[in-house]
Amino acid sequence: MNYQQSIIETNRWIAKPLNLKGDLNSWVSRMKLACPNPKLNQVVWLEGNNKSIGYKVIGFKPNGEVIWQRGKVIRPLKLD
């Protein structure tokens, strides 16, 4: 898998929750592999090259577990 990571500006992020239930443990394992040392506001794409949907670190629980938010990076328009 091709993991992409970058820091973005918070004002260019829109939350896009799935509201689905599934295998949370597998997803958490994938996120740990993708980003073993996450930083606040870091966005991680699990596959592909900066796809628009990613996961942003929005905080940490008292035990150190990461709080992720699924969302979309809004890229600025390029004007000619």
Side-chain angles (χ1 to χ4, degrees):
M1 291 186 183
N2 182 15
Y3 301 113
Q4 304 293 322
Q5 303 175 21
S6 69
I7 304 297
I8 66 159
E9 294 177 30
T10 304
N11 62 355
R12 293 192 183 155
W13 178 260
I14 296 178
K16 294 276 187 181
L18 281 174
N19 298 323
L20 297 176
K21 295 181 181 180
D23 184 0
L24 180 61
N25 291 331
S26 292
W27 180 84
V28 169
S29 294
R30 287 182 71 198
M31 294 307 291
K32 285 181 182 177
L33 285 173
C35 189
N37 298 306
K39 295 173 180 56
L40 191 62
N41 293 325
Q42 185 172 15
V43 175
V44 178
W45 290 267
L46 289 178
E47 297 175 0
N49 188 10
N50 286 349
K51 289 185 176 186
S52 61
I53 298 294
Y55 299 90
K56 180 178 178 181
V57 178
I58 61 170
F60 298 91
K61 294 181 181 179
N63 66 359
E65 193 175 324
V66 182
I67 302 170
W68 296 97
Q69 180 183 59
R70 183 179 185 272
K72 183 174 184 176
V73 175
I74 305 302
R75 305 220 184 268
L77 294 174
K78 291 183 180 178
L79 303 174
D80 294 327

